[in-house]
Amino acid sequence: MVKLRSAQWYAGEDRNAYIHRAWMRRGVPDDAFSGRPQIAIASTASELTPCNAHLTEVAASVRDGVHEAGGIPLNLPVVSLGETQMRPTAMLWRNMAAMATEEMLRANPIDGVVLLGGCDKTIPSLLMAAASVDLPAVVVPGGPMLTGTFRGKPLGCGTDVWRLSEEVRAGTLSQEQFTRSESSMIRSRGHCNTMGTASTMALVAEALGTVVPGIAGTPAPDSRLLEGAHGTGRLVVEMVAAGRRPRTLLTKASFHNAIVALAAIGGSTNAVVHLLAIAGRLGVDLRLDDFDRIGSRVPVLVDLQPAGRFLMEDFHRAGGLRAVLREVRDLLDPDALTVTGRPLLEHLEDAPIWDPEVIRTRSEPLAAEGGIAVLRGSLAPDGALIKPAAASPHLLRHRGRAVVFDSIEDFHARIDDPGLDVDADSVLVLRGCGPKGYPGMPEVSNMPLPRKLLAQGVRDMVRVCDGRMSGTAYGTVVLHVAPEAAAGGPLALATTGDLISLDVEARRIDVEVPADELARRTPNEATVTGFASPGRGWERLYVDHVLQADTGADLDFLVGSSGSEVGRESH
Ligand code: FES
């Protein structure tokens, strides 16, 4: 029988064991402390993270499953990050949430953990924590919301906000109609129902092997989610007995499969920065270029917004992730295991596509080549990303005059100025939005187009930025430029009027300025130092230690693992 970690607290007759047991008793029987795994249910439920507010109910089902399997379930509320509510950007606290969860798991008498997340940053932060503390861990994604409708048409959460607001700016939709659509946008509990970051990270977590296969993508109100949560509660007890920890499961092969899945579902670019950060916690040698090498030739099979038409409820009905992965099973690494202890491939045997309009077959993909392209060049020596499937084909090779903005505030102040010297061929360049510069790398890279160009019917332009973009967004956007301007990247030296060339086929993004001339330029001070003034607290720590996007934007001292052992005891 496996020696439980919690026995370090509860076993024995000494004073410390007495203290640990006595304070936890409160009605539980003697045998709760001898040989029964202590299972934390790390929940990001919060009313300020509306996408995760229902996780309390999901936790109750996990709890039942843990009990049935002989474990002791323990609720552990952890830091929750609500994407739509937090200022200046939820990403500023992904690493903090990961650090806090890791430390709470390590400090407490826990043998295994079920991780409940949903909204964008919550599953990444939970997985980063679990990877660093290396206790048996399994994710239950909270699931997407049901499809809302407005005036008879489905609304894609997030994506349609951008589309409708652009229509207002273009004068084709009234402000009153726009406001009226607000109460139709969020039909039910759950996270955004497009293939945005939340849906992407849930599915990618399953492809990685950290979710019981078949659960990710189950709509939040669907009773099968509770059934899956119940089963996961039982499973985690088995994982503890088997010693099935993140470091025994998650290998380069797991990340390979996650990248194939990311490409085949047409997932969010945000998954790149999150997967790099998780791999960094595990010591898996994952590089930015792996996303291009492994993913860029994988066909996009899922016709979901923002790149396509349907929504997550349709995706689940059509067969879900297992049906997608079955279509590309020859591209998967057969060695990768899952939380069940069995290889991912074994879980794909009975996984038909029920609706080939939503999940395409390999012979009729939505796009022959999907994934995420990694660009390099004189504007991004350490790399930048573009999602070709969400871009306009005619802009994938483009040369245009830069119109440069030093911050998102500068952008908002000038973009609709009728006097702004910009045309449809211009390249909008926004800097000061990287991890250090903003700080927190916000989702602003899909800059709204100038009103005067929208009125002319322009719907896409090449945009370049050192920030991220919402997974629900679309357009020809080059993002995650590294190094960012505030870290001394050449993006800081570009000026309005420079020629910028984008060639996605050649994987290049360049500023056509001779290197010696670029080197002679001096960036303005705010571009280099950032626009906020993080004098103290978390922001200070973050700015001083955050890494660049090409390695996952983790804090330098959080990369790697401390494991679960704690040698000292204060009593
Ligand atoms: Fe929470 Fe979109 S705002 S998932």
Side-chain angles (χ1 to χ4, degrees), residues 49-208:
T49 307
C51 307
N52 294 16
H54 65 294
L55 290 178
T56 305
E57 189 184 343
V58 178
S61 291
V62 173
R63 201 176 171 86
D64 289 345
V66 171
H67 261 310
E68 277 175 17
I72 302 295
L74 298 152
N75 285 329
L76 178 66
V78 294
V79 175
S80 187
L81 306 174
E83 191 64 30
T84 50
Q85 310 307 98
M86 299 188 76
R87 290 183 170 187
T89 174
M91 182 64 172
L92 178 60
W93 296 285
R94 181 201 64 176
N95 301 337
M96 186 187 84
M99 184 168 76
T101 302
E102 174 191 343
E103 297 301 344
M104 289 308 98
L105 291 172
R106 184 178 297 115
N108 280 297
I110 299 298
D111 298 302
V113 58
V114 178
L115 307 163
L116 305 186
C119 197
D120 292 16
K121 307 298 176 295
T122 52
I123 288 179
S125 64
L126 292 168
L127 279 175
M128 289 162 73
S132 283
V133 77
D134 200 31
L135 286 169
V138 52
V139 177
V140 179
M145 63 186 77
L146 301 175
T147 304
T149 58
F150 179 61
R151 304 170 120 211
K153 298 246 173 64
L155 278 180
C157 201
T159 303
D160 275 329
V161 179
W162 315 135
R163 183 179 60 77
L164 295 173
S165 66
E166 289 293 86
E167 284 185 22
V168 173
R169 296 179 74 242
T172 55
L173 182 77
S174 73
Q175 183 64 46
E176 190 202 343
Q177 287 167 335
F178 178 62
T179 306
R180 205 177 291 161
S181 72
E182 197 174 293
S183 52
S184 306
M185 187 60 69
I186 309 298
R187 178 171 163 215
S188 74
R189 57 175 61 186
H191 61 67
C192 292
N193 57 10
T194 49
M195 190 56 79
T197 305
S199 301
T200 298
M201 288 313 300
L203 299 175
V204 161
E206 183 170 309
L208 199 56

Side-chain angles (χ1 to χ4, degrees), residues 16-77:
N16 282 352
Y18 173 104
I19 291 171
H20 296 311
R21 289 192 301 264
W23 263 256
M24 288 296 282
R25 270 186 186 268
R26 300 171 196 255
V28 301
D30 276 350
D31 70 356
F33 304 109
S34 53
R36 295 179 65 178
Q38 310 288 311
I39 305 297
I41 303 171
S43 173
T44 51
S46 162
E47 288 184 342
L48 281 166
T49 307
C51 307
N52 294 16
H54 65 294
L55 290 178
T56 305
E57 189 184 343
V58 178
S61 291
V62 173
R63 201 176 171 86
D64 289 345
V66 171
H67 261 310
E68 277 175 17
I72 302 295
L74 298 152
N75 285 329
L76 178 66

Side-chain angles (χ1 to χ4, degrees), residues 122-482:
T122 52
I123 288 179
S125 64
L126 292 168
L127 279 175
M128 289 162 73
S132 283
V133 77
D134 200 31
L135 286 169
V138 52
V139 177
V140 179
M145 63 186 77
L146 301 175
T147 304
T149 58
F150 179 61
R151 304 170 120 211
K153 298 246 173 64
L155 278 180
C157 201
T159 303
D160 275 329
V161 179
W162 315 135
R163 183 179 60 77
L164 295 173
S165 66
E166 289 293 86
E167 284 185 22
V168 173
R169 296 179 74 242
T172 55
L173 182 77
S174 73
Q175 183 64 46
E176 190 202 343
Q177 287 167 335
F178 178 62
T179 306
R180 205 177 291 161
S181 72
E182 197 174 293
S183 52
S184 306
M185 187 60 69
I186 309 298
R187 178 171 163 215
S188 74
R189 57 175 61 186
H191 61 67
C192 292
N193 57 10
T194 49
M195 190 56 79
T197 305
S199 301
T200 298
M201 288 313 300
L203 299 175
V204 161
E206 183 170 309
L208 199 56
T210 62
V211 178
V212 175
I215 292 183
T218 306
D222 192 314
S223 58
R224 286 169 290 185
L225 177 66
L226 299 182
E227 193 180 322
H230 191 123
T232 301
R234 292 183 187 169
L235 176 71
V236 70
V237 175
E238 178 196 316
M239 290 173 70
V240 171
R244 210 176 291 147
R245 295 175 288 105
R247 281 177 181 256
T248 66
L249 286 179
L250 300 178
T251 60
K252 187 76 184 267
S254 319
F255 285 89
H256 175 104
N257 291 349
I259 293 171
V260 171
L262 176 63
I265 62 175
S268 160
T269 47
N270 284 324
V272 176
V273 81
H274 297 321
L275 283 170
L276 287 167
I278 297 163
R281 298 299 186 96
L282 291 159
V284 170
D285 182 23
L286 186 71
R287 309 279 174 95
L288 190 60
D289 293 318
D290 290 329
F291 288 83
D292 203 324
R293 183 179 58 78
I294 298 166
S296 62
R297 305 280 178 244
V298 176
V300 182
L301 298 181
V302 177
D303 191 354
L304 249 67
Q305 292 185 33
R309 293 175 292 163
F310 297 99
L311 294 164
M312 283 300 286
E313 195 180 338
D314 306 304
F315 176 71
H316 188 250
R317 173 180 51 77
L321 181 68
R322 290 193 315 129
V324 176
L325 293 181
R326 192 166 190 275
E327 283 296 298
V328 291
R329 59 191 180 279
D330 56 306
L331 304 177
L332 298 173
D333 191 317
D335 291 334
L337 297 171
T338 68
V339 283
T340 64
R342 291 161 52 209
L344 181 66
L345 274 180
E346 273 188 25
H347 291 278
L348 307 180
E349 275 155 22
D350 177 26
I353 295 173
W354 298 112
D355 185 345
E357 283 278 302
V358 182
I359 299 177
R360 304 290 187 89
T361 59
R362 187 77 168 269
S363 55
E364 289 184 83
L366 186 69
E369 292 183 357
I372 285 159
V374 176
L375 313 175
R376 287 179 202 278
S378 57
L379 206 52
D382 291 342
L385 307 181
I386 188 168
K387 187 173 169 185
S392 301
H394 72 282
L395 291 174
L396 292 176
R397 190 150 183 243
H398 182 81
R399 193 161 173 258
R401 238 173 87 288
V403 180
V404 178
F405 302 91
D406 277 332
S407 68
I408 189 64
E409 291 77 14
D410 180 30
F411 173 84
H412 286 311
R414 295 197 287 130
I415 191 62
D416 286 336
D417 181 344
L420 184 70
D421 186 10
V422 63
D423 61 32
D425 291 330
S426 299
V427 174
L428 302 179
V429 175
L430 173 59
R431 59 193 175 201
C433 300
K436 279 181 193 294
Y438 185 70
M441 208 182 173
E443 294 182 336
V444 294
S445 299
N446 54 311
M447 299 155 244
L449 306 188
R451 193 190 299 268
K452 66 181 181 186
L453 296 184
L454 282 170
Q456 292 167 19
V458 177
R459 288 294 179 270
D460 195 10
M461 293 171 71
V462 174
R463 287 158 274 178
V464 180
C465 182
D466 49 9
R468 297 175 303 118
M469 77 172 178
S470 165
T472 61
Y474 50 88
T476 310
V477 182
V478 176
L479 67 173
H480 298 205
V481 169

